Amino acid sequence: MDGDRSEVQRLYDACGAVFSPWTGGGLPTLTQIGWLQDILDGMKAADVGIDAGGGDGERSFSSSSDDERSPRGRRFLSARAFTRITYVHIHECDDFSIGVFCFPAGATMPLHDHPQMAVLSKLLYGSMRVSSYDWVTAPCSGPRKGGLAKVVAVDELREAPCKASVLFPRSGGNIHALTAVTPCALLDVLAPPYAEDLGRPSTYFSDTPIPALPGTHLHAYVSCMPDPFIFMSIIP
């Protein structure tokens, strides 16, 4: 997306500094995560080529304030054009990926996890409900991956503009389901990206609530199910 030299380039450069192995490796610090959250908090739908105002189809945009290296006209995807969950690809490398999930109202991304990954998310427009868990113990592996998980959020409403969220491999709601209340878009940074051959597969789950004992957290048994989710992908 060469036309988006400002905020997208700034996010890309920051992700490279934080997540690329030549920066020293290891987990990012909370200060580094906070830096990325601040950048995401400043981003809008227009920065990633989406017209959140909802004009039909695509439209052209030009501004005298655009960087002179950008084209005079920029093509914007309309929020109203997304009739199913659509992924707008921005960048992917071995260390991180950047992309946007665009939801029509009522669409649900089923319960899924982010193995060995940190994920930063910014709701660009609209509202969604989030239900999430963290593993109590490491889940069993194999074709029937599953285990005991504790509840982090139940049908939590998020409305733009809101602060960017972050989840970690063992905390923050690493297993979650997303449901669009209104048309909405979620800008995601995954570090590192999904990679089945490296032990980071994309897995979908079903959950069975387990009544909590007095004084304990709510729990559920979360077990994998066949991939039920199909979405469109756009590579600008």
Side-chain angles (χ1 to χ4, degrees), residues 207-228:
D207 55 334
T208 304
I210 299 173
L213 297 173
T216 64
H217 293 291
L218 294 175
H219 290 80
Y221 188 83
V222 176
S223 57
C224 69
M225 61 179 180
D227 187 349

Side-chain angles (χ1 to χ4, degrees), residues 13-31:
D13 291 341
C15 287
V18 170
F19 297 122
S20 293
W22 55 81
T23 62
L27 294 174
T29 66
L30 292 179
T31 298

